Amino acid sequence: MTLRERFTWAEVDGTDVVGPGQRLPWPKTLGIGVQHVVAMFGSTFLVPVLTGFPPATTLLFSGVGTLLFLVITGNRLPSYLGSSFAVIAPITAATASHSMGSALGGIVAVGVLLMLVGAVVHVAGTAWIEKLMPPVVTGAIVALIGLNLAPAAKANYEKAAVTATITLVCLIASLALFKGMLGRLAIFTSVVIGYVVAWIRGEVDFSKVSAASWVGFPEFHAPSFSWAVLPMFLPVVLVLVAENVGHVRSVAQMTGEDYDPVMGRALVSDGLATVLAGAGGGSATTTYAENIGVMAATRVYSTAAYWVAGVAAVLLGMSPKVGAVIASIPPGVLGGITTALYGLVGILGVRIWVQARVDFSQPINQLSAAVPLIIGIADFTWSLGRVVFTGIALGSVAAIVIYQGMRLLGRHGSEALG
């Protein structure tokens, strides 16, 4: 297939399924693209708001990263790169103990390592990842990252408990009452409702919104690098690898395409997008389940819709007014939303265990999950000179070491008995 053929789409209409290399007529494609923007928006803008990063900058790099992803994967793999929740805890810790620049340096390091993993996967495949991090380990790492954030949710919730409760109730009710697209927009609609409630209660500061211009460059920040910060971010690489591999395989299952040959490119693409974001003040990116959900609902897998979504995100990022509105979301609204979202990140880890049918009657699986969860939730720390390893880093390493160590000891024990 020629380069020109890869970046063109066969127009179809009146069909149930639209493949990656096809597209609906452009007006309909624009509509699907807008749905992808709305689907990713609720989660993507929350990450910079929760970490103190400029929201417009994160939106801009999210769009740029998506466009790069489409180019590097040869326009074959329909995916959107949104903000990863895995970086919230290390960014918060790094910013509090050092600076925003050091947190951005950690994000750049994550991106570089993810690119290296992608290069290895491109050559050697993904079997080694599955051996190093089987589902019991991956699930534990994902779960402890979400549950480690519980104190942050509580801190925001207590600042405006009434608003937080209303926001949380709206989110739960939306997910219970609505299915399909309305259900997938529950985060966005709940934030909007919570925002209105907070405005009525006088909890929203509009001063920066009114001062912001409609069109302009977002706020850029440069990274700095500190050995004391980097260990906080290393586990994020493991999560991003697991997320990307899982999401790409989900898309492959839906479309019937074989995406194993571009798995390495997908990881390299996400790594490059993360490096660019960290270099300019944005957050780490990852392929988004929200947009996979849109494809499942619409059965439109066209990469053309993702080009529309990527361009739209760039345009949103070029509006300081949009960024100011997002940044004005008060703590009460964030407390209500994150009480659910951080818990759901933890449950995603449990979901990995359930889907893989992890046998928790086995001591190796019990301890590979139990010990890391306690380390992550209690936020154990270990100082080695100026370098501080936090609960997420220690828990992630513990999950891998305990599993591999017990597996090795069990093998030697069996050989000795034999």
PDB file of all heavy atoms in Angstrom, residues 76-102:
ATOM      1  N   ARG A  76      -3.497   3.452  10.398  1.00  0.00           N
ATOM      2  CA  ARG A  76      -4.198   2.163  10.451  1.00  0.00           C
ATOM      3  C   ARG A  76      -4.960   1.957  11.748  1.00  0.00           C
ATOM      4  O   ARG A  76      -5.942   1.217  11.786  1.00  0.00           O
ATOM      5  CB  ARG A  76      -3.193   1.010  10.308  1.00  0.00           C
ATOM      6  CG  ARG A  76      -2.533   0.881   8.955  1.00  0.00           C
ATOM      7  CD  ARG A  76      -1.536  -0.261   8.965  1.00  0.00           C
ATOM      8  NE  ARG A  76      -2.159  -1.530   9.360  1.00  0.00           N
ATOM      9  CZ  ARG A  76      -1.479  -2.632   9.650  1.00  0.00           C
ATOM     10  NH1 ARG A  76      -0.161  -2.619   9.612  1.00  0.00           N
ATOM     11  NH2 ARG A  76      -2.120  -3.736   9.989  1.00  0.00           N
ATOM     12  N   LEU A  77      -4.488   2.573  12.838  1.00  0.00           N
ATOM     13  CA  LEU A  77      -4.983   2.256  14.176  1.00  0.00           C
ATOM     14  C   LEU A  77      -5.826   3.407  14.732  1.00  0.00           C
ATOM     15  O   LEU A  77      -5.293   4.453  15.108  1.00  0.00           O
ATOM     16  CB  LEU A  77      -3.797   1.972  15.098  1.00  0.00           C
ATOM     17  CG  LEU A  77      -4.069   1.595  16.540  1.00  0.00           C
ATOM     18  CD1 LEU A  77      -5.023   0.415  16.611  1.00  0.00           C
ATOM     19  CD2 LEU A  77      -2.765   1.270  17.250  1.00  0.00           C
ATOM     20  N   PRO A  78      -7.149   3.253  14.793  1.00  0.00           N
ATOM     21  CA  PRO A  78      -8.006   4.327  15.303  1.00  0.00           C
ATOM     22  C   PRO A  78      -7.935   4.436  16.823  1.00  0.00           C
ATOM     23  O   PRO A  78      -8.431   3.573  17.554  1.00  0.00           O
ATOM     24  CB  PRO A  78      -9.407   3.899  14.840  1.00  0.00           C
ATOM     25  CG  PRO A  78      -9.333   2.415  14.743  1.00  0.00           C
ATOM     26  CD  PRO A  78      -7.930   2.086  14.349  1.00  0.00           C
ATOM     27  N   SER A  79      -7.290   5.488  17.309  1.00  0.00           N
ATOM     28  CA  SER A  79      -7.151   5.694  18.754  1.00  0.00           C
ATOM     29  C   SER A  79      -6.960   7.174  19.047  1.00  0.00           C
ATOM     30  O   SER A  79      -6.440   7.916  18.211  1.00  0.00           O
ATOM     31  CB  SER A  79      -5.959   4.911  19.318  1.00  0.00           C
ATOM     32  OG  SER A  79      -6.220   3.525  19.334  1.00  0.00           O
ATOM     33  N   TYR A  80      -7.362   7.568  20.265  1.00  0.00           N
ATOM     34  CA  TYR A  80      -7.153   8.947  20.720  1.00  0.00           C
ATOM     35  C   TYR A  80      -6.216   8.917  21.919  1.00  0.00           C
ATOM     36  O   TYR A  80      -6.343   8.064  22.802  1.00  0.00           O
ATOM     37  CB  TYR A  80      -8.483   9.614  21.111  1.00  0.00           C
ATOM     38  CG  TYR A  80      -8.298  11.082  21.403  1.00  0.00           C
ATOM     39  CD1 TYR A  80      -8.419  12.018  20.383  1.00  0.00           C
ATOM     40  CD2 TYR A  80      -7.931  11.519  22.669  1.00  0.00           C
ATOM     41  CE1 TYR A  80      -8.190  13.357  20.621  1.00  0.00           C
ATOM     42  CE2 TYR A  80      -7.700  12.854  22.918  1.00  0.00           C
ATOM     43  CZ  TYR A  80      -7.829  13.768  21.888  1.00  0.00           C
ATOM     44  OH  TYR A  80      -7.588  15.106  22.129  1.00  0.00           O
ATOM     45  N   LEU A  81      -5.286   9.859  21.978  1.00  0.00           N
ATOM     46  CA  LEU A  81      -4.362   9.965  23.100  1.00  0.00           C
ATOM     47  C   LEU A  81      -4.832  11.070  24.043  1.00  0.00           C
ATOM     48  O   LEU A  81      -4.725  12.254  23.718  1.00  0.00           O
ATOM     49  CB  LEU A  81      -2.941  10.265  22.615  1.00  0.00           C
ATOM     50  CG  LEU A  81      -2.269   9.209  21.736  1.00  0.00           C
ATOM     51  CD1 LEU A  81      -0.804   9.584  21.504  1.00  0.00           C
ATOM     52  CD2 LEU A  81      -2.359   7.825  22.358  1.00  0.00           C
ATOM     53  N   GLY A  82      -5.360  10.677  25.191  1.00  0.00           N
ATOM     54  CA  GLY A  82      -5.790  11.632  26.205  1.00  0.00           C
ATOM     55  C   GLY A  82      -4.874  11.594  27.409  1.00  0.00           C
ATOM     56  O   GLY A  82      -3.902  10.836  27.456  1.00  0.00           O
ATOM     57  N   SER A  83      -5.185  12.397  28.421  1.00  0.00           N
ATOM     58  CA  SER A  83      -4.352  12.477  29.623  1.00  0.00           C
ATOM     59  C   SER A  83      -4.454  11.198  30.441  1.00  0.00           C
ATOM     60  O   SER A  83      -5.538  10.674  30.655  1.00  0.00           O
ATOM     61  CB  SER A  83      -4.793  13.662  30.490  1.00  0.00           C
ATOM     62  OG  SER A  83      -4.682  14.871  29.787  1.00  0.00           O
ATOM     63  N   SER A  84      -3.321  10.728  30.929  1.00  0.00           N
ATOM     64  CA  SER A  84      -3.291   9.516  31.737  1.00  0.00           C
ATOM     65  C   SER A  84      -3.471   9.847  33.214  1.00  0.00           C
ATOM     66  O   SER A  84      -2.792  10.723  33.758  1.00  0.00           O
ATOM     67  CB  SER A  84      -1.967   8.779  31.544  1.00  0.00           C
ATOM     68  OG  SER A  84      -1.857   7.709  32.459  1.00  0.00           O
ATOM     69  N   PHE A  85      -4.366   9.119  33.883  1.00  0.00           N
ATOM     70  CA  PHE A  85      -4.558   9.294  35.321  1.00  0.00           C
ATOM     71  C   PHE A  85      -3.393   8.713  36.118  1.00  0.00           C
ATOM     72  O   PHE A  85      -3.249   9.010  37.298  1.00  0.00           O
ATOM     73  CB  PHE A  85      -5.865   8.625  35.752  1.00  0.00           C
ATOM     74  CG  PHE A  85      -7.070   9.497  35.581  1.00  0.00           C
ATOM     75  CD1 PHE A  85      -7.651   9.668  34.331  1.00  0.00           C
ATOM     76  CD2 PHE A  85      -7.616  10.177  36.651  1.00  0.00           C
ATOM     77  CE1 PHE A  85      -8.749  10.481  34.161  1.00  0.00           C
ATOM     78  CE2 PHE A  85      -8.723  10.991  36.495  1.00  0.00           C
ATOM     79  CZ  PHE A  85      -9.301  11.151  35.253  1.00  0.00           C
ATOM     80  N   ALA A  86      -2.567   7.902  35.480  1.00  0.00           N
ATOM     81  CA  ALA A  86      -1.465   7.253  36.194  1.00  0.00           C
ATOM     82  C   ALA A  86      -0.426   8.250  36.692  1.00  0.00           C
ATOM     83  O   ALA A  86       0.345   7.933  37.610  1.00  0.00           O
ATOM     84  CB  ALA A  86      -0.801   6.216  35.292  1.00  0.00           C
ATOM     85  N   VAL A  87      -0.384   9.458  36.102  1.00  0.00           N
ATOM     86  CA  VAL A  87       0.653  10.422  36.490  1.00  0.00           C
ATOM     87  C   VAL A  87       0.195  11.388  37.561  1.00  0.00           C
ATOM     88  O   VAL A  87       0.984  12.214  38.028  1.00  0.00           O
ATOM     89  CB  VAL A  87       1.154  11.228  35.261  1.00  0.00           C
ATOM     90  CG1 VAL A  87       1.871  10.342  34.277  1.00  0.00           C
ATOM     91  CG2 VAL A  87       0.006  11.973  34.595  1.00  0.00           C
ATOM     92  N   ILE A  88      -1.080  11.333  37.967  1.00  0.00           N
ATOM     93  CA  ILE A  88      -1.579  12.327  38.915  1.00  0.00           C
ATOM     94  C   ILE A  88      -0.806  12.292  40.225  1.00  0.00           C
ATOM     95  O   ILE A  88      -0.347  13.322  40.730  1.00  0.00           O
ATOM     96  CB  ILE A  88      -3.087  12.123  39.172  1.00  0.00           C
ATOM     97  CG1 ILE A  88      -3.885  12.412  37.900  1.00  0.00           C
ATOM     98  CG2 ILE A  88      -3.562  13.027  40.304  1.00  0.00           C
ATOM     99  CD1 ILE A  88      -5.369  12.142  38.028  1.00  0.00           C
ATOM    100  N   ALA A  89      -0.650  11.095  40.795  1.00  0.00           N
ATOM    101  CA  ALA A  89       0.039  10.986  42.090  1.00  0.00           C
ATOM    102  C   ALA A  89       1.499  11.434  42.014  1.00  0.00           C
ATOM    103  O   ALA A  89       1.936  12.252  42.835  1.00  0.00           O
ATOM    104  CB  ALA A  89      -0.072   9.563  42.622  1.00  0.00           C
ATOM    105  N   PRO A  90       2.302  10.939  41.050  1.00  0.00           N
ATOM    106  CA  PRO A  90       3.698  11.408  41.013  1.00  0.00           C
ATOM    107  C   PRO A  90       3.836  12.888  40.689  1.00  0.00           C
ATOM    108  O   PRO A  90       4.730  13.557  41.219  1.00  0.00           O
ATOM    109  CB  PRO A  90       4.340  10.541  39.924  1.00  0.00           C
ATOM    110  CG  PRO A  90       3.222   9.931  39.159  1.00  0.00           C
ATOM    111  CD  PRO A  90       2.068   9.838  40.109  1.00  0.00           C
ATOM    112  N   ILE A  91       2.951  13.426  39.836  1.00  0.00           N
ATOM    113  CA  ILE A  91       3.016  14.865  39.548  1.00  0.00           C
ATOM    114  C   ILE A  91       2.735  15.669  40.806  1.00  0.00           C
ATOM    115  O   ILE A  91       3.443  16.636  41.133  1.00  0.00           O
ATOM    116  CB  ILE A  91       2.012  15.253  38.442  1.00  0.00           C
ATOM    117  CG1 ILE A  91       2.476  14.755  37.082  1.00  0.00           C
ATOM    118  CG2 ILE A  91       1.831  16.780  38.387  1.00  0.00           C
ATOM    119  CD1 ILE A  91       1.488  15.014  35.959  1.00  0.00           C
ATOM    120  N   THR A  92       1.702  15.271  41.547  1.00  0.00           N
ATOM    121  CA  THR A  92       1.347  15.986  42.778  1.00  0.00           C
ATOM    122  C   THR A  92       2.492  15.942  43.779  1.00  0.00           C
ATOM    123  O   THR A  92       2.839  16.963  44.388  1.00  0.00           O
ATOM    124  CB  THR A  92       0.081  15.356  43.405  1.00  0.00           C
ATOM    125  OG1 THR A  92      -0.987  15.392  42.444  1.00  0.00           O
ATOM    126  CG2 THR A  92      -0.341  16.117  44.645  1.00  0.00           C
ATOM    127  N   ALA A  93       3.086  14.768  43.938  1.00  0.00           N
ATOM    128  CA  ALA A  93       4.193  14.631  44.892  1.00  0.00           C
ATOM    129  C   ALA A  93       5.423  15.421  44.450  1.00  0.00           C
ATOM    130  O   ALA A  93       6.068  16.098  45.258  1.00  0.00           O
ATOM    131  CB  ALA A  93       4.546  13.154  45.062  1.00  0.00           C
ATOM    132  N   ALA A  94       5.750  15.343  43.162  1.00  0.00           N
ATOM    133  CA  ALA A  94       6.938  16.041  42.650  1.00  0.00           C
ATOM    134  C   ALA A  94       6.765  17.553  42.726  1.00  0.00           C
ATOM    135  O   ALA A  94       7.698  18.284  43.078  1.00  0.00           O
ATOM    136  CB  ALA A  94       7.207  15.613  41.206  1.00  0.00           C
ATOM    137  N   THR A  95       5.574  18.041  42.387  1.00  0.00           N
ATOM    138  CA  THR A  95       5.319  19.480  42.439  1.00  0.00           C
ATOM    139  C   THR A  95       5.391  19.998  43.868  1.00  0.00           C
ATOM    140  O   THR A  95       5.925  21.084  44.127  1.00  0.00           O
ATOM    141  CB  THR A  95       3.946  19.806  41.823  1.00  0.00           C
ATOM    142  OG1 THR A  95       3.905  19.322  40.477  1.00  0.00           O
ATOM    143  CG2 THR A  95       3.695  21.307  41.812  1.00  0.00           C
ATOM    144  N   ALA A  96       4.856  19.223  44.811  1.00  0.00           N
ATOM    145  CA  ALA A  96       4.854  19.644  46.216  1.00  0.00           C
ATOM    146  C   ALA A  96       6.257  19.660  46.807  1.00  0.00           C
ATOM    147  O   ALA A  96       6.616  20.565  47.575  1.00  0.00           O
ATOM    148  CB  ALA A  96       3.946  18.731  47.032  1.00  0.00           C
ATOM    149  N   SER A  97       7.064  18.666  46.451  1.00  0.00           N
ATOM    150  CA  SER A  97       8.396  18.554  47.042  1.00  0.00           C
ATOM    151  C   SER A  97       9.468  19.305  46.267  1.00  0.00           C
ATOM    152  O   SER A  97      10.505  19.670  46.842  1.00  0.00           O
ATOM    153  CB  SER A  97       8.798  17.079  47.152  1.00  0.00           C
ATOM    154  OG  SER A  97       8.862  16.469  45.872  1.00  0.00           O
ATOM    155  N   HIS A  98       9.234  19.533  44.983  1.00  0.00           N
ATOM    156  CA  HIS A  98      10.241  20.211  44.171  1.00  0.00           C
ATOM    157  C   HIS A  98       9.613  21.348  43.368  1.00  0.00           C
ATOM    158  O   HIS A  98       9.535  22.475  43.843  1.00  0.00           O
ATOM    159  CB  HIS A  98      10.940  19.199  43.250  1.00  0.00           C
ATOM    160  CG  HIS A  98      11.793  18.222  43.978  1.00  0.00           C
ATOM    161  ND1 HIS A  98      11.265  17.146  44.662  1.00  0.00           N
ATOM    162  CD2 HIS A  98      13.134  18.147  44.144  1.00  0.00           C
ATOM    163  CE1 HIS A  98      12.251  16.468  45.237  1.00  0.00           C
ATOM    164  NE2 HIS A  98      13.394  17.032  44.924  1.00  0.00           N
ATOM    165  N   SER A  99       9.137  21.065  42.147  1.00  0.00           N
ATOM    166  CA  SER A  99       8.559  22.121  41.312  1.00  0.00           C
ATOM    167  C   SER A  99       7.780  21.488  40.169  1.00  0.00           C
ATOM    168  O   SER A  99       7.903  20.288  39.908  1.00  0.00           O
ATOM    169  CB  SER A  99       9.666  23.017  40.733  1.00  0.00           C
ATOM    170  OG  SER A  99      10.505  22.259  39.865  1.00  0.00           O
ATOM    171  N   MET A 100       6.997  22.313  39.472  1.00  0.00           N
ATOM    172  CA  MET A 100       6.299  21.823  38.292  1.00  0.00           C
ATOM    173  C   MET A 100       7.299  21.367  37.238  1.00  0.00           C
ATOM    174  O   MET A 100       7.083  20.368  36.549  1.00  0.00           O
ATOM    175  CB  MET A 100       5.401  22.919  37.704  1.00  0.00           C
ATOM    176  CG  MET A 100       4.659  22.481  36.439  1.00  0.00           C
ATOM    177  SD  MET A 100       3.736  23.815  35.645  1.00  0.00           S
ATOM    178  CE  MET A 100       2.431  24.054  36.843  1.00  0.00           C
ATOM    179  N   GLY A 101       8.400  22.077  37.111  1.00  0.00           N
ATOM    180  CA  GLY A 101       9.418  21.707  36.133  1.00  0.00           C
ATOM    181  C   GLY A 101       9.952  20.303  36.360  1.00  0.00           C
ATOM    182  O   GLY A 101      10.165  19.543  35.415  1.00  0.00           O
ATOM    183  N   SER A 102      10.163  19.939  37.631  1.00  0.00           N
ATOM    184  CA  SER A 102      10.665  18.592  37.927  1.00  0.00           C
ATOM    185  C   SER A 102       9.627  17.534  37.569  1.00  0.00           C
ATOM    186  O   SER A 102       9.973  16.444  37.119  1.00  0.00           O
ATOM    187  CB  SER A 102      11.050  18.476  39.405  1.00  0.00           C
ATOM    188  OG  SER A 102       9.911  18.552  40.236  1.00  0.00           O
TER     189      SER A 102
END
